[in-house]
Amino acid sequence: MATVTVRAAATGAAAPAARPRIGRGLPAALALVPTALIVLVVYVGCMLWTVRLSFTSSTLLPKFDFVGLAQYERLIVNDRFVVSAQNTVIFGVLFIAGCLVLGFLLAVFIDQRVRGEGAFRTVFLFPYSMSFVVTGVAWQWFLNPGLGLEKLVRDMGFSNFTFDWLVNQEMAIYTLVIAGIWHGAGLTMAILLAGLRGVDEDLWKAARVDGVPPWRYYLSIVLPLLRPMVVTATVLLAISVVKLYDLVVAMTGGGPGIATEVPAKFVMDHLFERNNIALGTAAATLMLVTVVIIIAPWIYARYVRSKGRR
Amino acid sequence: MGSFSRLSACTLAVTLLCGTSAFAQEKAEVMHWWTSAGESAAVKVFADAYTKGGGTWVDNAIAGGVNARAATVNRMVGGNPPTMAQFNTGKQFDELIENGLLIDVEAIAEAGKWRELMPKPIIEASVRDGKFYAVPVNIHGQNWMFYNTKVFADAGLEPPKTFPELIETGEKLKANGIIPIALGGQPTWERNLFSAVLVGHGGADLFRKIFGVRDVEAAKSDKFKEVAELYGKMRGLVDPGSPGRNWNDAASLVITGKAAMHFNGDWAKGEFIAAGQTAGKEYGCTIVGDGKLVIGGDVFVFPVTKDAGAQAAQQKLAAVLLDPETQLAFNKKKGSIPVRLDVDVSSMDACAQKSHAVLKDPANQVEATEIISTPNFTGAMQDAITQYWNTSSMSADAFVEKVVTAMRSAS
């Protein structure tokens, strides 16, 4: 249903044939001007500023010379940036997939009209009310081999139990995924649950009459109906993947070594700690370009092509 | 982005403070990052000394050196500079001078004969074009080894004098069930440990060639490889819980006798003092290797301002900071030693006295990385070091390759 309204709004604004009288739109347009200006000056302006700086040799203070692609050449041979980029992919795929699957299962589970639904909903949504910093510190303690889970299980008598992912270079990135899913699954659940509540009960009755098993009903009938909710959840999760910074700083500090570095941390460290504005902005620009490359086909498919078809 | 909100909260607090104290004469707003208990007690010494002289001290402390420096630079570029701001002794404020954003204090330095009183590396780090642009306030030795005297006595061992010796001693301690080296497993402290090995085993010259002039030949030399191998062997002397640990937690492992040794700057002394221990009794401090002390510290700089009141305050502050009594009181609290070598340190603790004695000989003074290397190159080296430290399968040769790449590509 949400798709229908969104599309109607989109076409209503864009189709010249259906343009409303100027007088009616004027107050609304005036009200939007400050926001539009802020978006243009602050967001777009800062973006252009960042891109411009990435072609300079700025260090502590911005400088306006032009060194071509030198910073980008440095960037692609920089171990730490390469690892950061790989980590974003690993974290992004696992985190989004994990949140969606777990969130969907939780939503279906709560949708069974279980007793104490309100309590369950609160419990599952609770992690989301905590900041990434708190999440990171809590999980750091919990996963620390000398303090948390490993020690607990060993103290219970299983002296061979080992769970040292947090201090293991190969596995540390997955501890971030675990903490991230713990944090984000509840929100996904809330969004999908809202969608589930909008699904017509008659569909369920009809499926029962036809002898469709429950798992098939959810997978083939409900899930496609939930598409807009899934898209919303995915976009929200994707945003937290791109700006992932505080969780890493609080939980691993990018270590062990450089095993859990992420691009946002690379940018922050180079802008402020290492007095290397140019390299930091070059990394930021590459992140921006990547995001644009990923979402451009989606925007095209959703807004440009669908309009052309009509 | 927690730092940002904290930062803006601080700014807000400062604005409110400024609002209420605007009537006072010679108001000095000071930006620094001394926020821990010992540090804020130390900065209060300066504040009190300045207040006694009739000024008003507005304290603007921002947690974390990086955050504090970023805030200072932002305010200077934005045209609303603080009266005085903290930096580390070294290259961090180079560009501010180049862009004419700082005033020089040469006249006061001349009158106070600073050049005769301070160690040469500290003077050179504060002087640009023959003029003092920063007031150094302390000296921190960065390559101290703190050790638990009881642990060594119980094991019947002596604290090691050289790094090869340290590896042998460490293996013995490990066999006794003691953590030989307590390390805060964060890139900064891994680099600090590497610096200690580089200067202690490789020597001051090699240290300067690597961090200072970025000599590729020196990085490929046998001596550097030897240093890298020694450092690599030390990976086995650290406990598995080390990665990500804070340095103060590492120090407390030595305090409680779980670990034997801890490499750190003399600021770590604060932890031992807070635990009620005395230098030379429960814990000792020594320099492993050939006795050279890597020195850095803190300075205050004075941003250019049009406000006449602030200008007067700046002149007053520059003189207050180096008063011998203030210096002694400040450095006792801070854990560092007075930047003036003419101050009588007999009332300070054993480690500070040792530090003072070592620095009497100019040959023992080695410039810290903040002084001889740009933040960017230090960062690139740190990336290489932390990768080597945390990847036990990485060979010394592969590490040397990474160092060479860092030398070539960092600006």
Side-chain angles (χ1 to χ4, degrees), chain B residues 136-171:
Chain B
V137 292
N138 59 3
I139 300 174
H140 271 301
Q142 301 186 346
N143 57 330
W144 286 104
M145 193 265 274
F146 295 93
Y147 60 92
N148 186 313
T149 45
K150 189 168 175 296
V151 166
F152 275 97
D154 288 353
L157 294 165
E158 282 290 308
K161 300 255 183 312
T162 66
F163 280 97
E165 226 177 274
L166 182 137
I167 307 244
E168 269 176 45
T169 315
E171 294 295 345

Short mmCIF file of all heavy atoms in Angstrom, two decimals, chain B residues 136-171:
data_model
loop_
_atom_site.label_atom_id
_atom_site.label_comp_id
_atom_site.label_asym_id
_atom_site.label_seq_id
_atom_site.Cartn_x
_atom_site.Cartn_y
_atom_site.Cartn_z
N PRO B 136 57.27 25.59 26.24
CA PRO B 136 57.29 24.21 26.74
C PRO B 136 57.08 24.25 28.26
O PRO B 136 57.60 25.14 28.93
CB PRO B 136 58.70 23.71 26.42
CG PRO B 136 59.36 24.80 25.63
CD PRO B 136 58.60 26.05 25.85
N VAL B 137 56.29 23.32 28.78
CA VAL B 137 56.03 23.36 30.22
C VAL B 137 56.52 22.12 30.95
O VAL B 137 56.59 22.11 32.17
CB VAL B 137 54.52 23.56 30.52
CG1 VAL B 137 54.08 24.95 30.09
CG2 VAL B 137 53.68 22.50 29.88
N ASN B 138 56.86 21.06 30.20
CA ASN B 138 57.31 19.86 30.91
C ASN B 138 58.10 18.96 29.96
O ASN B 138 58.13 19.19 28.75
CB ASN B 138 56.12 19.08 31.48
CG ASN B 138 55.14 18.66 30.40
OD1 ASN B 138 55.38 18.88 29.21
ND2 ASN B 138 54.07 18.04 30.79
N ILE B 139 58.73 17.94 30.53
CA ILE B 139 59.41 16.93 29.72
C ILE B 139 58.89 15.56 30.16
O ILE B 139 58.93 15.22 31.34
CB ILE B 139 60.94 16.97 29.92
CG1 ILE B 139 61.49 18.34 29.52
CG2 ILE B 139 61.60 15.87 29.11
CD1 ILE B 139 62.96 18.50 29.84
N HIS B 140 58.39 14.83 29.20
CA HIS B 140 57.98 13.46 29.46
C HIS B 140 58.99 12.51 28.83
O HIS B 140 59.29 12.64 27.64
CB HIS B 140 56.61 13.18 28.84
CG HIS B 140 55.46 13.51 29.74
ND1 HIS B 140 55.30 12.93 30.97
CD2 HIS B 140 54.41 14.35 29.59
CE1 HIS B 140 54.20 13.41 31.53
NE2 HIS B 140 53.65 14.28 30.73
N GLY B 141 59.52 11.58 29.62
CA GLY B 141 60.33 10.52 29.05
C GLY B 141 59.38 9.44 28.57
O GLY B 141 58.45 9.09 29.29
N GLN B 142 59.57 8.93 27.35
CA GLN B 142 58.55 8.05 26.78
C GLN B 142 58.94 6.58 26.77
O GLN B 142 58.12 5.74 26.47
CB GLN B 142 58.21 8.50 25.36
CG GLN B 142 57.68 9.92 25.32
CD GLN B 142 57.22 10.32 23.96
OE1 GLN B 142 57.52 9.64 22.98
NE2 GLN B 142 56.47 11.41 23.87
N ASN B 143 60.23 6.26 27.02
CA ASN B 143 60.64 4.86 26.90
C ASN B 143 61.05 4.24 28.23
O ASN B 143 61.98 3.46 28.29
CB ASN B 143 61.75 4.70 25.86
CG ASN B 143 62.96 5.55 26.18
OD1 ASN B 143 62.83 6.61 26.79
ND2 ASN B 143 64.13 5.10 25.77
N TRP B 144 60.34 4.59 29.26
CA TRP B 144 60.61 3.99 30.57
C TRP B 144 60.07 2.58 30.63
O TRP B 144 59.07 2.27 30.01
CB TRP B 144 59.97 4.81 31.69
CG TRP B 144 60.69 6.09 31.96
CD1 TRP B 144 60.29 7.33 31.58
CD2 TRP B 144 61.93 6.25 32.64
NE1 TRP B 144 61.21 8.26 31.98
CE2 TRP B 144 62.23 7.63 32.64
CE3 TRP B 144 62.82 5.37 33.26
CZ2 TRP B 144 63.36 8.15 33.23
CZ3 TRP B 144 63.96 5.88 33.85
CH2 TRP B 144 64.23 7.26 33.83
N MET B 145 60.79 1.73 31.42
CA MET B 145 60.25 0.41 31.70
C MET B 145 59.95 0.37 33.20
O MET B 145 60.84 0.52 34.03
CB MET B 145 61.25 -0.68 31.31
CG MET B 145 60.67 -2.07 31.28
SD MET B 145 60.95 -2.94 32.81
CE MET B 145 62.57 -3.63 32.53
N PHE B 146 58.67 0.22 33.52
CA PHE B 146 58.26 0.10 34.92
C PHE B 146 58.20 -1.38 35.27
O PHE B 146 57.75 -2.19 34.45
CB PHE B 146 56.88 0.72 35.13
CG PHE B 146 56.88 2.21 34.90
CD1 PHE B 146 56.57 2.74 33.65
CD2 PHE B 146 57.19 3.08 35.93
CE1 PHE B 146 56.58 4.10 33.44
CE2 PHE B 146 57.21 4.44 35.72
CZ PHE B 146 56.90 4.95 34.47
N TYR B 147 58.68 -1.73 36.43
CA TYR B 147 58.64 -3.14 36.80
C TYR B 147 58.26 -3.32 38.26
O TYR B 147 58.44 -2.41 39.08
CB TYR B 147 59.98 -3.82 36.51
CG TYR B 147 61.16 -3.23 37.25
CD1 TYR B 147 61.56 -3.72 38.48
CD2 TYR B 147 61.87 -2.18 36.69
CE1 TYR B 147 62.65 -3.18 39.16
CE2 TYR B 147 62.95 -1.62 37.35
CZ TYR B 147 63.33 -2.12 38.58
OH TYR B 147 64.39 -1.56 39.25
N ASN B 148 57.69 -4.49 38.54
CA ASN B 148 57.29 -4.82 39.90
C ASN B 148 58.48 -5.47 40.61
O ASN B 148 58.93 -6.54 40.23
CB ASN B 148 56.09 -5.78 39.85
CG ASN B 148 55.52 -6.06 41.21
OD1 ASN B 148 56.25 -6.35 42.16
ND2 ASN B 148 54.20 -5.98 41.32
N THR B 149 59.00 -4.81 41.63
CA THR B 149 60.23 -5.29 42.27
C THR B 149 60.03 -6.65 42.95
O THR B 149 60.91 -7.50 42.91
CB THR B 149 60.72 -4.28 43.33
OG1 THR B 149 59.60 -3.86 44.11
CG2 THR B 149 61.36 -3.08 42.70
N LYS B 150 58.84 -6.86 43.53
CA LYS B 150 58.58 -8.10 44.24
C LYS B 150 58.56 -9.29 43.27
O LYS B 150 59.12 -10.36 43.58
CB LYS B 150 57.24 -8.00 44.97
CG LYS B 150 56.98 -9.15 45.92
CD LYS B 150 55.79 -8.83 46.81
CE LYS B 150 55.42 -10.02 47.70
NZ LYS B 150 54.97 -11.19 46.93
N VAL B 151 57.96 -9.09 42.10
CA VAL B 151 57.89 -10.18 41.12
C VAL B 151 59.30 -10.62 40.73
O VAL B 151 59.60 -11.82 40.67
CB VAL B 151 57.08 -9.73 39.88
CG1 VAL B 151 57.28 -10.71 38.73
CG2 VAL B 151 55.61 -9.61 40.22
N PHE B 152 60.18 -9.66 40.49
CA PHE B 152 61.55 -10.01 40.11
C PHE B 152 62.28 -10.68 41.27
O PHE B 152 63.00 -11.66 41.09
CB PHE B 152 62.31 -8.76 39.63
CG PHE B 152 62.08 -8.47 38.18
CD1 PHE B 152 61.14 -7.54 37.78
CD2 PHE B 152 62.80 -9.15 37.20
CE1 PHE B 152 60.92 -7.29 36.44
CE2 PHE B 152 62.59 -8.90 35.85
CZ PHE B 152 61.64 -7.97 35.48
N ALA B 153 62.08 -10.15 42.48
CA ALA B 153 62.77 -10.73 43.65
C ALA B 153 62.30 -12.17 43.88
O ALA B 153 63.12 -13.07 44.11
CB ALA B 153 62.48 -9.88 44.88
N ASP B 154 60.99 -12.40 43.80
CA ASP B 154 60.44 -13.74 44.00
C ASP B 154 60.98 -14.74 42.99
O ASP B 154 61.19 -15.91 43.31
CB ASP B 154 58.91 -13.72 43.93
CG ASP B 154 58.30 -13.05 45.15
OD1 ASP B 154 59.07 -12.75 46.08
OD2 ASP B 154 57.08 -12.83 45.16
N ALA B 155 61.17 -14.27 41.76
CA ALA B 155 61.64 -15.18 40.71
C ALA B 155 63.16 -15.29 40.74
O ALA B 155 63.74 -16.08 40.00
CB ALA B 155 61.18 -14.69 39.35
N GLY B 156 63.81 -14.52 41.60
CA GLY B 156 65.27 -14.54 41.67
C GLY B 156 65.93 -13.98 40.43
O GLY B 156 67.00 -14.42 40.03
N LEU B 157 65.27 -13.00 39.82
CA LEU B 157 65.82 -12.42 38.58
C LEU B 157 66.10 -10.94 38.77
O LEU B 157 65.54 -10.29 39.64
CB LEU B 157 64.82 -12.61 37.44
CG LEU B 157 64.54 -14.04 36.98
CD1 LEU B 157 63.29 -14.08 36.12
CD2 LEU B 157 65.73 -14.59 36.21
N GLU B 158 66.98 -10.43 37.90
CA GLU B 158 67.28 -9.00 37.89
C GLU B 158 66.50 -8.35 36.74
O GLU B 158 66.30 -8.98 35.71
CB GLU B 158 68.78 -8.79 37.63
CG GLU B 158 69.65 -9.05 38.84
CD GLU B 158 69.46 -7.97 39.90
OE1 GLU B 158 69.58 -6.77 39.56
OE2 GLU B 158 69.18 -8.32 41.06
N PRO B 159 66.05 -7.12 36.91
CA PRO B 159 65.45 -6.43 35.77
C PRO B 159 66.45 -6.36 34.61
O PRO B 159 67.62 -6.05 34.84
CB PRO B 159 65.14 -5.04 36.30
CG PRO B 159 65.11 -5.19 37.77
CD PRO B 159 66.03 -6.31 38.12
N PRO B 160 66.03 -6.69 33.38
CA PRO B 160 66.96 -6.75 32.26
C PRO B 160 67.57 -5.40 31.91
O PRO B 160 66.94 -4.37 32.08
CB PRO B 160 66.10 -7.27 31.12
CG PRO B 160 64.70 -6.95 31.50
CD PRO B 160 64.65 -6.99 32.99
N LYS B 161 68.83 -5.45 31.41
CA LYS B 161 69.51 -4.21 31.03
C LYS B 161 69.44 -3.97 29.52
O LYS B 161 69.54 -2.84 29.07
CB LYS B 161 70.99 -4.28 31.45
CG LYS B 161 71.20 -4.47 32.95
CD LYS B 161 71.65 -3.16 33.57
CE LYS B 161 71.94 -3.29 35.06
NZ LYS B 161 70.88 -3.97 35.83
N THR B 162 69.34 -5.07 28.76
CA THR B 162 69.28 -4.92 27.30
C THR B 162 68.08 -5.71 26.79
O THR B 162 67.50 -6.50 27.52
CB THR B 162 70.54 -5.50 26.64
OG1 THR B 162 70.54 -6.91 26.85
CG2 THR B 162 71.80 -4.89 27.20
N PHE B 163 67.75 -5.50 25.51
CA PHE B 163 66.57 -6.18 24.98
C PHE B 163 66.76 -7.68 24.76
O PHE B 163 65.84 -8.45 25.06
CB PHE B 163 66.05 -5.46 23.73
CG PHE B 163 65.25 -4.25 24.09
CD1 PHE B 163 65.83 -2.99 24.09
CD2 PHE B 163 63.93 -4.37 24.47
CE1 PHE B 163 65.09 -1.87 24.47
CE2 PHE B 163 63.19 -3.26 24.85
CZ PHE B 163 63.76 -2.01 24.85
N PRO B 164 67.94 -8.13 24.26
CA PRO B 164 68.10 -9.60 24.18
C PRO B 164 67.97 -10.24 25.56
O PRO B 164 67.37 -11.31 25.69
CB PRO B 164 69.52 -9.76 23.61
CG PRO B 164 69.77 -8.50 22.87
CD PRO B 164 69.06 -7.43 23.62
N GLU B 165 68.50 -9.54 26.58
CA GLU B 165 68.39 -10.02 27.95
C GLU B 165 66.92 -10.08 28.38
O GLU B 165 66.49 -11.01 29.06
CB GLU B 165 69.12 -9.04 28.86
CG GLU B 165 70.05 -9.66 29.88
CD GLU B 165 70.76 -8.55 30.64
OE1 GLU B 165 71.80 -8.09 30.16
OE2 GLU B 165 70.25 -8.13 31.70
N LEU B 166 66.17 -9.06 27.96
CA LEU B 166 64.76 -8.97 28.33
C LEU B 166 63.98 -10.16 27.81
O LEU B 166 63.10 -10.70 28.49
CB LEU B 166 64.18 -7.66 27.78
CG LEU B 166 62.72 -7.38 28.12
CD1 LEU B 166 62.55 -5.92 28.50
CD2 LEU B 166 61.79 -7.71 26.98
N ILE B 167 64.33 -10.60 26.59
CA ILE B 167 63.61 -11.75 26.02
C ILE B 167 63.88 -13.00 26.85
O ILE B 167 62.96 -13.75 27.18
CB ILE B 167 64.03 -11.96 24.56
CG1 ILE B 167 63.87 -10.66 23.79
CG2 ILE B 167 63.30 -13.14 23.93
CD1 ILE B 167 62.92 -10.58 22.69
N GLU B 168 65.16 -13.20 27.23
CA GLU B 168 65.50 -14.37 28.06
C GLU B 168 64.78 -14.33 29.40
O GLU B 168 64.14 -15.30 29.80
CB GLU B 168 67.02 -14.36 28.34
CG GLU B 168 67.85 -15.11 27.33
CD GLU B 168 69.32 -14.97 27.65
OE1 GLU B 168 69.69 -15.11 28.85
OE2 GLU B 168 70.10 -14.69 26.73
N THR B 169 64.90 -13.16 30.08
CA THR B 169 64.24 -13.00 31.38
C THR B 169 62.74 -13.23 31.24
O THR B 169 62.11 -13.87 32.08
CB THR B 169 64.49 -11.58 31.92
OG1 THR B 169 65.87 -11.27 31.74
CG2 THR B 169 64.12 -11.47 33.38
N GLY B 170 62.19 -12.68 30.16
CA GLY B 170 60.75 -12.80 29.94
C GLY B 170 60.30 -14.25 29.84
O GLY B 170 59.29 -14.64 30.43
N GLU B 171 61.09 -15.06 29.11
CA GLU B 171 60.72 -16.48 28.96
C GLU B 171 60.70 -17.17 30.32
O GLU B 171 59.82 -17.98 30.61
CB GLU B 171 61.71 -17.19 28.03
CG GLU B 171 61.68 -16.72 26.57
CD GLU B 171 60.36 -17.04 25.87
OE1 GLU B 171 59.59 -17.86 26.39
OE2 GLU B 171 60.10 -16.44 24.81
#
